[in-house]
Amino acid sequence: PSRTIRSPDLTVRENGVPQTVRDVRPERPAAHFAFVVDRSLSMGGGKLDAALRAIRAAQKQLRPGDTSSLVLFNHRVAEPQAVPASLDVAPSGGTSLRDALASVASKQRTYAIVITDGGDRNSALSEEEALRRISGTKTVVNAIVLGDSHARFLDRAAANTGGSVASGTSSSSLRTPPHS
């Protein structure tokens, strides 16, 4: 006789981090994808444009029921907005990475996809406070860091939430894979 699998029957680790299994379903339920994009001055030279193109391409891969938003940040964190078909944004200002990422933490299943070139010189939140706001939510942090500046904060945020951090060396790293 077959038996229904229940959440207490499972132990799950995502990137080495134990996860709480609350519900077992045959497929992933709808989720929110928050694209958190650095638009500081150092994202010039095509990095910001490549990030926005990659996000538009990634949106085509979302499943029915998924939602998405775009949070642009420099030394200020913009309100979340729908991802537009085209967006002309000039890189400017400093970087408030911790503030931007903490702003998307959610009790609903959210995948935060951060695209930045690294450091944080302008956040009001300390690293520990930002990590407290993110950890323990249903937000999974994944990041793409362009260039040589690798923020330890992103490594910790990803590790705490079961996400990952990838590095890229240039704007060409943001190409999306072709559909199969």
Side-chain angles (χ1 to χ4, degrees):
S2 73
R3 175 172 107 83
T4 302
I5 296 176
R6 300 174 310 126
S7 56
D9 298 331
L10 301 172
T11 302
V12 175
R13 290 183 172 274
E14 190 170 353
N15 292 330
V17 178
Q19 302 293 310
T20 301
V21 179
R22 292 182 178 89
D23 193 17
V24 178
R25 297 181 185 187
E27 63 181 51
R28 176 182 66 75
H32 180 73
F33 290 80
F35 297 100
V36 183
V37 180
D38 183 349
R39 62 156 293 187
S40 66
L41 192 57
S42 60
M43 285 291 286
K47 289 188 233 178
L48 178 57
D49 291 336
L52 295 172
R53 280 193 311 275
I55 289 167
R56 285 190 291 275
Q59 275 207 292
K60 295 174 185 168
Q61 298 178 26
L62 298 183
R63 296 177 184 178
D66 288 343
T67 58
S68 64
S69 63
L70 174 64
V71 174
L72 294 170
F73 71 94
N74 52 17
H75 54 281
R76 293 187 186 113
V77 179
E79 291 294 319
Q81 62 179 311
V83 179
S86 68
L87 184 64
D88 187 23
V89 179
S92 68
T95 309
S96 293
L97 173 61
R98 294 184 301 269
D99 292 352
L101 187 52
S103 78
V104 301
S106 176
K107 296 292 183 189
Q108 297 178 338
R109 175 57 69 190
T110 299
Y111 294 93
I113 296 92
V114 180
I115 303 176
T116 183
D117 64 349
D120 187 330
R121 291 184 176 84
N122 301 96
S123 282
L125 294 176
S126 69
E127 186 170 313
E128 293 306 318
E129 179 59 27
L131 288 170
R132 268 193 296 281
R133 290 187 186 189
I134 297 162
S135 303
T137 68
K138 286 189 172 185
T139 304
V140 176
V141 176
N142 292 286
I144 300 168
V145 179
L146 303 175
D148 300 327
S149 223
H150 195 80
R152 185 178 87 108
F153 166 71
L154 286 175
D155 290 330
R156 292 182 67 198
N160 285 1
T161 63
S164 63
V165 178
S167 296
T169 55
S170 71
S171 59
S172 63
S173 301
L174 289 178
R175 291 191 188 113
T176 55
H179 277 52
S180 36

